[in-house]
Amino acid sequence: AQRVTQPEKLLSVFKGAPVELKCNYSYSGSPELFWYVQYSRQRLQLLLRHISRESIKGFTADLNKGETSFHLKKPFAQEEDSAMYYCALSGRTNAGKSTFGDGTTLTVKP
Amino acid sequence: EAGVAQSPRYKIIEKRQSVAFWCNPISGHATLYWYQQILGQGPKLLIQFQNNGVVDDSQLPKDRFSAERLKGVDSTLKIQPAKLEDSAVYLCASSPEGLAAPVFGPGTRLTVL
């Protein structure tokens, strides 16, 4: 069975500090990993997916198959990064059939 | 482009009543999804349509939930009868095809009393 674990429900950092949101997964096969973000009063939206290898809003995530992790990182957090972040996993052929973690609420303090 | 539209945005009903939610996906998106998000949890896929056909409904509680997408565009999700544990946000999402990540609507918050 596939599973996504986000061990931190809440994460708080100061502006300018590095931030890392953890995501661990279990999946038999080759997974597709995603990070979604939901800002206050906004819709859930895609932040990045691992096959794109993009940096979005300064965030990056590296798939570590050995440790089955897909942690989200940003070197210098900004107040506007405060949001709920969800890690999700799917098979390679159906991105919408995703298993989501329970989310981490990130608060960036001034 | 216009985003995914959902209505109503909020609904309060009593247990054993029925309720229906409506979704209008982004124009041209063949794939439509309904997710259930219980407070404190991530979204859980209930059903996936490709045009007007069901691709996956393995997590849909079929004894009380039903969904249709008759003309391959709009979709409705119905619960009959509702239970207390159905209180959640129901998210609709769409994508041009299965490989693309879904684009989410604003959700309908259902409270069952």
Side-chain angles (χ1 to χ4, degrees):
Chain A
Q2 56 195 58
R3 185 180 179 88
V4 176
T5 303
Q6 294 180 250
E8 304 135 330
K9 276 217 169 292
L10 302 171
L11 185 62
S12 181
V13 300
F14 284 102
K15 176 183 173 182
V19 63
E20 179 180 67
L21 291 89
K22 292 185 168 54
C23 173
N24 293 94
Y25 68 90
S26 62
Y27 187 81
S28 54
S30 296
E32 172 101 54
L33 276 295
F34 307 82
W35 276 99
Y36 289 85
V37 62
Q38 188 166 26
Y39 301 103
S40 179
R41 297 189 179 85
Q42 293 189 28
R43 304 178 184 201
L44 187 63
Q45 59 185 288
L46 178 69
L47 180 62
L48 56 81
R49 60 195 293 179
H50 89 274
I51 60 168
S52 301
R53 297 189 176 276
E54 291 178 297
S55 173
I56 306 294
K57 298 186 179 183
F59 285 97
T60 59
D62 290 318
L63 179 61
N64 186 322
K65 292 186 178 180
E67 295 183 357
T68 59
S69 68
F70 189 58
H71 302 328
L72 184 68
K73 301 177 183 179
K74 185 170 183 177
F76 307 103
Q78 303 300 315
E79 290 180 70
E80 55 265 31
D81 297 328
S82 296
M84 173 71 89
Y85 291 81
Y86 293 96
C87 182
L89 171 156
S90 75
R92 287 289 175 91
T93 59
N94 192 344
K97 190 179 177 181
S98 288
T99 298
F100 284 78
D102 288 338
T104 297
T105 301
L106 174 66
T107 302
V108 181
K109 297 180 285 188
Chain B
E1 63 179 6
V4 176
Q6 290 187 246
S7 69
R9 295 295 312 279
Y10 304 91
K11 189 74 177 179
I12 301 173
I13 61 172
E14 295 189 348
K15 61 183 179 184
R16 292 187 288 273
Q17 287 187 321
S18 62
V19 64
F21 312 127
W22 173 83
C23 173
N24 180 235
I26 292 173
S27 178
H29 279 194
T31 308
L32 184 146
Y33 311 85
W34 283 101
Y35 296 83
Q36 179 193 56
Q37 185 172 20
I38 293 171
L39 185 66
Q41 299 180 16
K44 182 183 82 171
L45 181 67
L46 292 176
I47 189 167
Q48 177 183 352
F49 292 94
Q50 180 72 20
N51 296 308
N52 61 349
V54 175
V55 173
D56 187 318
D57 63 356
S58 57
Q59 298 198 85
L60 187 74
K62 298 180 187 64
D63 58 333
R64 297 184 301 105
F65 286 64
S66 65
E68 60 184 14
R69 193 184 184 199
L70 293 176
K71 297 182 179 178
V73 181
D74 294 4
S75 177
T76 56
L77 176 70
K78 297 179 182 177
I79 308 175
Q80 183 178 11
K83 293 186 175 182
L84 296 177
E85 58 261 36
D86 299 332
S87 294
V89 175
Y90 290 85
L91 296 166
C92 180
S94 69
S95 69
E97 39 75 25
L99 290 174
V103 178
F104 286 85
T108 295
R109 182 177 298 277
L110 173 67
T111 302
V112 182
L113 302 175

